[in-house]
Amino acid sequence: MNTIIKKLIEKRVITIFLAVIIGLVGIYSYYILPRQESPDVSAPYAMVITSYPGATPKDVKELVTKKIEDKMVELDDFEKAMGTSKEGLSIIIVKFDSDADNDKAMQDVRNAIEDVRRDLPSGIMGIHIDTDLVKSAGIIISLSGENYTYEQLESFGELFKTELSNAEGISKFTIEGKLDKEVKVDIDIRKLNEIGLGIDDIDKILQAQNVEIPTGDIDYDGDKITVKTPGIFTSIKDIENTIIAVSPQNGNVLRLKDLANIYVDLEEGMAKYKQNGKNAVLLTGYFKENKNVVLIGKDVRKIIDNVKSKLPTDLVVEEVVYQPKDVSDSVNNFMLSLLEGIVLVIIVVFIGMGLRNALVVSTSIPLCILMTFGVMFLMKIKIHQMSLTALIIALGILVDNAIVISDTIQVRIDKGESNELASFKGTSMSSIPIFTATLTTIAAFSPLLGLPGAAGDFLLAIPQVLIISIIGAYVGAMFITPSLATIFFKPTKEKALKKQRLRGVFHKCLGQSLKRKKTVVLSTFIVLLITVKIIMPLLPSEFFPYVDKDLVYIDMDSENIANMEATERLTDHVVEVLKDIPEITNYTVAVGDGLPKFYLTMPPATPSSDYGQMLCKFDLAKGENRFKSKLELLDHIQSILDENIPEGKCTAKLLANAVPKDAKIIVRMSGENLDRLMEVANIMKKEVSKLEGTTNVRHDMKDKVYQIQVDIDEDKAISMGITKYDIQKQINMALYGKVSSVYRRDGGEYNIKIESNIKDTALLSNMKIKSSITGKKVPLKQFAQINYSSKLDTIKTFNREQSIELLANELPGYNATEIEYRIENELLPKMDLSGVKITFDGEREDIKEYFSVAGILAGFTVILIYIILVIQFNSFIQPLVILMTIPLSIIGSVIGLYFFKKPLSLTAFLGIIALIGLVVKNGILLIEYINDARNEGHNIDEACIDAVDKRFNAIILSAVTTIMGLVPLAIGNSSLFSPMAISLMFGLAASTFLTMIVIPVIYSLIETFREGRKIEV
């Protein structure tokens, strides 16, 4: 190492040139590095949708959902399955572990479905597997206009799609909201009853009359001439004029139009979208991976503007989601914080070191940052809020080593050594403690790489980038700073009086503390005990805050089951109620499905005719800042919805960080008896609603709904030649409809769907059922009764267990974790829970899981650092003295969080863990100098005072630079990173002060005791 240092100092021009090359590589890497707003932590999801027409929710659950779920749990990396069994429909969402291979997981799902298909009922109409739930849309553009139909809007969307699909960096564009048309054959049941045909006969006739079979060819004069027999419908008139019966008496024909209304209309049950109340289609774009979306976004916007200029002016083109702008704004904000931190650090260095030395030390900041960008490019670490936050945290660390090296070199130059010799000897002398300090800092951050799950993936870039920058800072300080010092350093003049006074205060304070060692140590630990036992429990706990975006989305569930029109009326009512809120600037609505996934942590939506979703953009300033936070606005929106929307359940939500959940308070009830589950769920909903601090308490099971029951007298039916199959098939066609054939026109295909005009029970009971045995028709009322009964429309399962989830939100100023404890300790003991299993799955459980893991990692960190220190100091006791800096830092962190009213979030807790490496570094340098002073002949107390005096400038300067670098992050509006910055700042400030007082006192106390024992021996 010394040889390398000496050579680099001697060849300092080459060294500086290499540094410039590294800087240029870093600038280029920054330019081309992929950018995104947040890390991609989406775990692999798959959705399996199975259609089983006519089956009850219970039958769907037992015959379809259960069999598929049983197969899913056998898959590798399976985490959980959430099943929904509805009338004629099974929907299962399968989630895998966050570290599972997405392609393998999705293929496993497909293979499992193929395996289980043979065990499913024969009445299954089809299984759709959606394996594209992980990707989130980078661009969502709405096309709307009062004067345009959905078909016209789709044609405009095709123009955009054609141009945008060829853009560099775009993987695909899709058009959401395309409403296909179909030919409806609406049969008049009264007229059908008058003839001998059944509704299934009409189906067969349409299929037979709309067929094209290759006829063959004829040999003619040595050539083959194809014979074509027209057999398909070429117009609606062809369908209308289809002959369905001929009178044997007079030969009169009966055509389809004589008993049915035939027309072209939109397909029923198709999801549709609206933008600010107008019909719309959504143009949804996806970016290729590992691309700079900001650069791609500039090209895409040019294409959009170009296409837009060619379209009618009354066509409204709006950007619902435009990720390049969001990413650009986010990166720019963090880069601004980074630059502000750099400026503050450089100012502190200038004040503390003087112009020349400060210039040399400050050079390490941009150089290390650019070096980090270069390594990030090689390691494929993207630029986003986590990686940039890590650089902000690292700012002070980047100059620490350079400060120590330059300070040592300056002391030797002041003693008369030449610049080159002082640079070499000063760097060599500091190399071991700096290397050890670097190792301990890396050791402090390394265990954070092992944080599991989605939260670990979300935060992974922080320890990665910190470790890279720490290594870069070591390389810069050891090899580049000495070369620059050789060129620029000069002997210093007398130090300022102000600096002497500050040093004098610490000198005096340490001298008095060494006279009262036991009192100082005891007082310190009393303060630590008060902090941990009294102040820390007062801090509200939080897993992750909500995303810092001005977006709120609303899930809407209609009370009218399987009625898309009712759902659309519900969404229109919600729009009408919320449009007068001044803060809401823009809204996009989906009916029958969720919006395209517009954020990484958005949970997948389940398509259903009774479901809708609304995305609202808001600006708190528009309402003259009457709401202090987005949580207050959310609560206001929810209260308006609760008061004004009686026809459905509406839940307003904010986007979640890392781990998406429907609420922060979740209680899951599982059991075999669904009625019992409903009873307990309704009681719990009522009781939780009474708890202070709760709002929007709901459960995910709908109330029972009425159904029309056809009670068949089987003996009567079979005596008339009517089978169950005849009854179910013909009623199913009449009410549910059936696609009989396909009508082709102008290159498009349209389903021909037969259905009936039955709208009431009287017409249903008079419908004649045709016997497949006798061929005769018998009115339904002759062998069956029409009755009303109640039923559960939906049955939910979680990991194969029948379950109901109770969800609740917390009001501003209240804590979800505390509310869950109140539910568990106050409500549940008073309730009769027989036959019901209770499981909590809210924020509290995430905190327990991840905080305990983080605590274990912190313990592992301390052990790792202790091993490194034992090797360096060849002592078991002195490393323990150094490790005493860790609890001292907790005092500052907790008091800082309490003072600024910040929660003890996961990021704040990780900030406390990160302090371990920072504060131990000061302890290492201090103990190293105390040992050197003792080796020079000083007694223990004198050595302590001498070490603090010599290391005072470096310790204070490195602490202040780190603290000042974090100021922009602490005072920013980020609810995610502000608690982390505050815990780091105050922890480091308290630890720095106490390190220079308490650590020498503890050292003196222990070493004095050990020397006394030696004398006795």
Side-chain angles (χ1 to χ4, degrees):
M1 175 67 78
N2 288 343
T3 304
I4 296 172
I5 293 170
K6 189 172 184 180
K7 285 290 182 184
L8 289 173
I9 292 173
E10 291 173 354
K11 307 290 185 180
R12 46 189 171 273
V13 174
I14 296 174
T15 304
I16 294 170
F17 177 72
L18 289 174
V20 172
I21 296 297
I22 291 171
L24 292 174
V25 170
I27 292 171
Y28 177 72
S29 299
Y30 173 75
Y31 181 75
I32 62 172
L33 267 171
R35 287 160 168 77
Q36 58 190 59
E37 198 170 358
S38 297
D40 188 354
V41 295
S42 299
Y45 276 95
M47 184 186 294
V48 182
I49 303 174
T50 309
S51 177
Y52 186 17
T56 64
K58 186 175 181 181
D59 288 340
V60 171
K61 170 182 169 288
E62 294 298 329
L63 300 175
V64 180
T65 305
K66 185 177 184 300
K67 291 180 179 179
I68 295 176
E69 286 180 334
D70 287 344
K71 204 70 179 175
M72 292 297 115
V73 298
E74 299 173 1
L75 301 181
D76 294 338
D77 299 315
F78 168 87
E79 182 177 321
K80 62 183 177 182
M82 297 153 284
T84 302
S85 302
K86 302 168 74 73
E87 187 83 22
L89 190 68
S90 165
I91 303 172
I92 301 170
I93 296 175
V94 185
K95 183 185 178 186
F96 294 86
D97 294 334
S98 59
D99 55 352
D101 181 86
N102 184 69
D103 293 337
K104 180 182 180 300
M106 296 305 102
Q107 189 58 51
D108 287 347
V109 170
R110 295 187 192 98
N111 295 339
I113 294 300
E114 288 303 315
D115 291 343
V116 80
R117 193 185 290 269
R118 65 177 71 94
D119 299 324
L120 299 178
S122 58
I124 294 295
M125 294 292 290
I127 302 178
H128 172 69
I129 306 171
D130 189 349
T131 59
D132 202 19
L133 301 178
V134 173
K135 290 183 180 178
S136 60
I139 298 172
I140 301 178
I141 299 169
S142 70
L143 306 178
S144 61
E146 293 180 351
N147 303 319
Y148 301 103
T149 64
Y150 277 107
E151 194 171 22
Q152 290 172 316
L153 292 171
E154 180 192 342
S155 66
F156 291 136
E158 290 291 346
L159 295 175
F160 278 99
K161 181 181 175 181
T162 301
E163 294 293 327
L164 290 170
S165 296
N166 297 323
E168 183 70 26
I170 296 292
S171 63
K172 67 174 180 177
F173 262 95
T174 61
I175 298 175
E176 309 291 343
K178 293 194 296 185
L179 299 183
D180 296 329
K181 290 185 176 181
E182 65 182 3
V183 179
K184 294 184 183 292
V185 180
D186 195 358
I187 298 170
D188 189 324
I189 288 296
R190 291 187 182 90
K191 292 180 179 179
L192 183 64
N193 285 342
E194 296 173 1
I195 64 175
L197 297 174
I199 194 168
D200 54 336
D201 293 324
I202 306 295
D203 174 45
K204 293 172 185 174
I205 291 168
L206 283 172
Q207 291 182 44
Q209 290 292 88
N210 189 43
V211 64
E212 191 168 39
I213 300 172
T215 312
D217 48 58
I218 295 175
D219 288 330
Y220 184 77
D221 291 340
D223 292 327
K224 286 184 179 287
I225 300 176
T226 301
V227 178
K228 182 174 176 64
T229 306
I232 61 171
F233 298 132
T234 58
S235 67
I236 298 297
K237 280 192 175 295
D238 287 348
I239 303 173
E240 291 176 336
N241 291 324
T242 300
I243 297 173
I244 58 174
V246 180
S247 172
Q249 288 81 19
N250 53 25
N252 288 339
V253 298
L254 184 68
R255 300 183 186 275
L256 186 57
K257 66 182 179 182
D258 295 328
L259 57 80
N261 182 24
I262 297 132
Y263 57 97
V264 177
D265 200 1
L266 296 175
E267 280 190 18
E268 294 178 359
M270 299 286 288
K272 59 176 66 174
Y273 300 91
K274 295 186 176 183
Q275 180 68 29
N276 294 332
K278 301 171 187 175
N279 293 342
V281 297
L282 302 181
L283 192 65
T284 307
Y286 298 85
F287 292 106
K288 292 179 180 177
E289 292 187 5
N290 300 317
K291 297 289 184 181
N292 188 333
V293 299
V294 176
L295 297 178
I296 298 168
K298 293 177 181 178
D299 296 334
V300 169
R301 195 182 289 279
K302 290 177 184 177
I303 296 172
I304 292 172
D305 292 340
N306 182 45
V307 176
K308 188 177 175 181
S309 65
K310 301 174 184 177
L311 298 177
T313 54
D314 59 344
L315 178 70
V316 182
V317 181
E318 291 191 53
E319 293 175 358
V320 179
V321 172
Y322 201 75
Q323 195 183 91
K325 182 181 182 304
D326 295 340
V327 172
S328 178
D329 291 344
S330 176
V331 170
N332 288 342
N333 287 336
F334 276 93
M335 285 302 296
L336 181 62
S337 296
L338 180 63
L339 291 173
E340 289 171 347
I342 290 172
V343 170
L344 290 172
V345 168
I346 290 173
I347 289 172
V348 171
V349 173
F350 268 68
I351 293 172
M353 302 190 74
L355 180 60
R356 289 179 178 275
N357 294 32
L359 282 172
V360 171
V361 170
S362 300
T363 304
S364 62
I365 300 175
L367 184 62
C368 291
I369 290 173
L370 293 174
M371 196 184 302
T372 302
F373 283 137
V375 179
M376 284 172 61
F377 176 75
L378 294 175
M379 294 182 63
K380 297 182 179 179
I381 300 172
K382 300 174 184 177
I383 291 178
H384 45 61
Q385 57 177 336
M386 293 298 156
S387 54
L388 293 178
T389 297
L391 282 174
I392 295 171
I393 294 171
L395 277 179
I397 304 173
L398 299 183
V399 295
D400 272 3
N401 293 337
I403 288 171
V404 172
I405 293 288
S406 63
D407 192 56
T408 308
I409 293 171
Q410 188 63 60
V411 168
R412 301 188 78 89
I413 290 174
D414 290 343
K415 290 180 178 179
E417 290 184 2
S418 68
N419 281 21
E420 189 169 319
L421 182 62
S423 296
F424 170 65
K425 287 191 174 181
T427 305
S428 299
M429 186 179 75
S430 303
S431 61
I432 298 301
I434 286 180
F435 180 71
T436 306
T438 301
L439 281 182
T440 56
T441 309
I442 292 172
F445 292 116
S446 294
L448 299 183
L449 297 170
L451 202 64
D457 293 339
F458 186 67
L459 298 168
L460 180 62
I462 291 181
Q464 283 181 330
V465 174
L466 278 169
I467 290 171
I468 293 168
S469 60
I470 289 165
I471 294 172
Y474 175 77
V475 171
M478 294 302 296
F479 304 129
I480 297 171
T481 299
S483 299
L484 292 172
T486 304
I487 298 171
F488 294 106
F489 276 19
K490 289 185 177 181
T492 56
K493 299 177 182 178
E494 289 297 319
K495 296 181 180 180
L497 181 63
K498 188 175 180 181
K499 190 183 295 184
Q500 291 176 350
R501 284 177 179 174
L502 182 60
R503 193 189 297 267
V505 169
F506 272 90
H507 187 91
K508 185 176 179 181
C509 189
L510 177 59
Q512 293 297 320
S513 298
L514 288 170
K515 295 176 183 178
R516 302 173 179 83
K517 298 172 187 174
K518 293 182 180 179
T519 303
V520 169
V521 173
L522 184 63
S523 301
T524 302
F525 281 95
I526 288 173
V527 172
L528 177 62
L529 194 65
I530 292 171
T531 302
V532 174
K533 291 293 184 180
I534 298 177
I535 301 177
M536 186 179 278
L538 297 176
L539 295 176
S541 56
E542 183 179 66
F543 184 48
F544 277 111
Y546 293 109
V547 175
D548 291 317
K549 292 179 78 70
D550 294 336
L551 295 175
V552 59
Y553 67 100
I554 302 167
D555 286 334
M556 299 168 281
D557 291 285
S558 172
E559 289 185 347
N560 291 291
I561 309 302
N563 189 334
M564 185 79 83
E565 292 179 358
T567 306
E568 187 170 2
R569 288 194 297 272
L570 167 65
T571 60
D572 290 343
H573 191 187
V574 171
V575 169
E576 186 67 26
V577 166
L578 298 183
K579 72 178 184 180
D580 292 329
I581 297 178
E583 287 82 2
I584 295 179
T585 59
N586 189 288
Y587 49 88
T588 309
V589 173
V591 182
D593 199 353
L595 291 159
K597 186 176 178 181
F598 55 87
Y599 195 71
L600 290 167
T601 57
M602 274 289 294
T606 304
S608 179
S609 57
D610 56 357
Y611 172 72
Q613 193 175 67
M614 178 178 180
L615 173 64
C616 304
K617 294 181 179 179
F618 64 84
D619 183 354
L620 296 179
K622 295 284 185 181
E624 298 180 356
N625 293 310
R626 57 177 176 154
F627 301 114
K628 295 179 181 178
S629 69
K630 55 181 177 286
L631 265 176
E632 290 185 7
L633 173 63
L634 182 77
D635 180 51
H636 177 68
I637 291 172
Q638 188 63 59
S639 63
I640 289 177
L641 294 173
D642 292 342
E643 292 170 8
N644 297 281
I645 308 294
E647 68 269 34
K649 187 191 300 179
C650 300
T651 306
K653 301 176 181 178
L654 294 170
L655 294 171
N657 273 308
V659 182
K661 287 197 174 181
D662 289 326
K664 289 192 174 185
I665 303 163
I666 300 176
V667 184
R668 186 178 298 109
M669 294 152 278
S670 306
E672 294 297 323
N673 189 323
L674 198 54
D675 290 330
R676 175 65 179 145
L677 283 178
M678 277 292 292
E679 180 186 357
V680 173
N682 287 328
I683 294 172
M684 189 172 291
K685 177 184 174 183
K686 181 180 177 182
E687 294 301 318
V688 173
S689 299
K690 296 177 184 177
L691 288 178
E692 186 180 355
T694 60
T695 183
N696 191 26
V697 181
R698 71 272 185 197
H699 58 64
D700 63 354
M701 181 64 76
K702 292 187 177 181
D703 294 329
K704 288 185 176 182
V705 296
Y706 284 109
Q707 69 175 355
I708 297 171
Q709 180 116 1
V710 180
D711 294 322
I712 302 167
D713 187 326
E714 295 184 25
D715 292 337
K716 274 188 181 181
I718 201 64
S719 68
M720 297 175 182
I722 306 293
T723 65
K724 288 182 179 179
Y725 179 75
D726 296 332
I727 300 167
Q728 291 188 14
K729 182 181 180 183
Q730 292 176 50
I731 292 178
N732 176 272
M733 283 189 186
L735 300 180
Y736 187 74
K738 180 180 184 295
V739 175
S740 294
S741 190
V742 174
Y743 166 57
R744 296 181 179 88
R745 186 187 69 181
D746 300 332
E749 281 193 354
Y750 307 91
N751 289 330
I752 301 174
K753 184 179 181 182
I754 62 169
E755 53 191 14
S756 76
N757 65 340
I758 295 177
K759 302 297 180 186
D760 54 53
T761 55
L763 199 53
L764 175 61
S765 64
N766 286 318
M767 176 185 175
K768 290 183 178 180
I769 305 298
K770 185 177 180 180
S771 168
S772 59
I773 299 172
T774 65
K776 294 181 179 180
K777 294 177 69 176
V778 182
L780 182 63
K781 62 184 178 183
Q782 289 190 13
F783 56 82
Q785 288 186 340
I786 308 296
N787 297 310
Y788 288 96
S789 64
S790 62
K791 67 163 186 174
L792 282 169
D793 172 71
T794 304
I795 300 175
K796 300 265 185 141
T797 54
F798 183 87
N799 285 348
R800 300 185 291 175
E801 289 187 328
Q802 200 166 248
S803 63
I804 299 176
E805 282 188 354
L806 180 102
L807 306 103
N809 295 99
E810 74 285 6
L811 288 169
Y814 290 87
N815 186 260
T817 301
E818 292 174 3
I819 293 172
E820 273 203 11
Y821 276 117
R822 290 188 63 193
I823 293 172
E824 185 175 28
N825 300 323
E826 296 177 20
L827 294 187
L828 296 187
K830 300 176 184 177
M831 295 178 62
D832 177 13
L833 300 174
S834 56
V836 177
K837 183 177 76 173
I838 301 294
T839 309
F840 287 88
D841 194 24
E843 184 179 63
R844 183 186 67 167
E845 281 57 51
D846 291 327
I847 290 173
K848 283 181 179 178
E849 178 186 354
Y850 283 97
F851 276 47
S852 61
V853 172
I856 293 169
L857 293 175
F860 179 73
T861 298
V862 172
I863 293 171
L864 193 59
I865 290 174
Y866 180 74
I867 293 170
I868 294 170
L869 295 179
V870 167
I871 293 171
Q872 182 192 347
F873 289 99
N874 193 29
S875 167
F876 291 109
I877 302 298
Q878 289 188 3
L880 292 176
V881 176
I882 294 171
L883 291 178
M884 290 307 302
T885 56
I886 297 171
L888 299 181
S889 66
I890 294 174
I891 296 173
S893 293
V894 172
I895 292 174
L897 292 170
Y898 179 77
F899 181 77
F900 283 95
K901 298 180 180 179
K902 297 293 182 181
L904 183 59
S905 62
L906 183 61
T907 52
F909 192 62
L910 294 181
I912 294 173
I913 295 175
L915 273 172
I916 295 174
L918 301 181
V919 299
V920 163
K921 193 173 185 179
N922 289 336
I924 291 171
L925 294 172
L926 198 59
I927 298 299
E928 184 79 24
Y929 271 73
I930 292 174
N931 288 338
D932 288 344
R934 289 183 67 188
N935 291 335
E936 291 172 4
H938 293 286
N939 64 38
I940 295 174
D941 287 359
E942 288 175 350
C944 290
I945 294 172
D946 182 69
V948 169
D949 188 59
K950 286 181 178 177
R951 299 309 308 149
F952 177 83
N953 191 51
I955 291 175
I956 289 293
L957 202 54
S958 62
V960 174
T961 52
T962 304
I963 291 169
M964 293 305 291
L966 291 165
V967 167
L969 204 60
I971 64 176
N973 295 322
S974 173
S975 55
L976 183 63
F977 297 114
S978 183
M980 175 188 273
I982 287 172
S983 67
L984 279 166
M985 290 170 64
F986 280 81
L988 186 58
S991 177
T992 300
F993 174 78
L994 294 174
T995 294
M996 291 197 290
I997 303 297
V998 178
I999 294 303
V1001 169
I1002 295 174
Y1003 178 94
S1004 176
L1005 201 62
I1006 292 173
E1007 290 298 317
T1008 301
F1009 174 76
R1010 290 177 66 194
E1011 285 199 357
R1013 291 289 300 272
K1014 288 179 183 178
I1015 293 172
E1016 289 178 7
V1017 172

